[in-house]
Amino acid sequence: MLADHLVETREVRGNTPRGRGRPAKAFVLTAAARETFPHLYDGIASAALHWIAQYGGPDAVSRFAADQVGPLEIRLRAAVCEAGDDPMARAEALAEALTAEGYAANATTIASGGQLCQHHCPVAHVAAEFPQLCDAETEVISRLIGTHVQRLATIAHGDGVCTTHIPGPARLNAPTTVRTDR
């Protein structure tokens, strides 16, 4: 796949010191590889959204995007609810359910919480013009995980993967002692 320019390597950035051995590499799909996935009806979808934007304005596009991800949210909800209340367990269940929907997703725990990564976006070409599609999807992820999330990268924006940060529980600093004998 490297020789065919379907994947490229990136160094894995970790929050912990690296041990012995070769530096870890992550493989991500290239734009050429993403083109091998079907992107049917992109032209008509883009034209329809342009029409909606022209005659209904940006808010109409946002409402349309929310309506489009509604059925996806319903399909994913059952899998996520079975995972319990822990946001990372829910993220892992969501990743499995998204993979079954064609998003090639995974969830990982990181020092500041977790990340949900989607390696394929079925609407990337249209979402490049209409980021409201990504915004609506991010809102669904937030509702399903049960906490605020933040989109860090999107395929539609030209990134190699859609990455959503899931903050971990707030950490309390150790109480400080104030000297009063001064």
Side-chain angles (χ1 to χ4, degrees):
M1 291 179 82
L2 277 170
D4 293 336
H5 304 288
L6 297 175
V7 295
E8 60 189 14
T9 60
R10 295 198 179 148
E11 285 193 30
V12 175
R13 293 181 212 119
N15 293 333
T16 58
R18 196 175 71 73
R20 293 183 181 187
R22 295 182 182 179
K25 298 274 186 195
F27 292 89
V28 297
L29 294 176
T30 63
R34 282 192 293 279
E35 290 297 322
T36 64
F37 289 98
H39 295 281
L40 307 174
Y41 307 112
D42 283 350
I44 191 72
S46 181
L49 284 168
H50 279 286
W51 189 92
I52 291 170
Q54 180 179 354
Y55 294 103
D59 288 342
V61 175
S62 295
R63 288 192 309 274
F64 173 83
D67 284 351
Q68 290 305 298
V69 295
L72 175 66
E73 182 175 6
I74 291 168
R75 291 192 305 273
L76 300 173
R77 184 168 300 284
V80 174
C81 287
E82 290 177 12
D85 292 333
D86 177 56
M88 277 313 298
R90 293 174 73 85
E92 290 170 3
L94 179 57
E96 287 182 34
L98 282 168
T99 295
E101 293 279 340
Y103 287 81
N106 69 298
T108 55
T109 301
I110 59 173
S112 61
Q115 285 188 25
L116 176 69
C117 295
Q118 298 158 251
H119 301 275
H120 175 67
C121 175
V123 297
H125 290 88
V126 179
E129 288 185 81
F130 297 96
Q132 295 96 324
L133 296 168
C134 296
D135 296 343
E137 184 179 275
T138 303
E139 290 175 18
V140 165
I141 292 169
S142 179
R143 285 192 297 270
L144 291 173
I145 299 295
T147 187
H148 167 76
V149 299
Q150 181 179 8
R151 212 23 104 77
L152 302 178
T154 63
I155 294 169
H157 187 255
D159 299 302
V161 61
C162 294
T163 305
T164 305
H165 180 256
I166 304 159
R171 297 178 190 190
L172 298 175
N173 294 331
T176 57
T177 305
V178 177
R179 292 184 61 178
T180 59
D181 60 338
R182 290 187 188 186

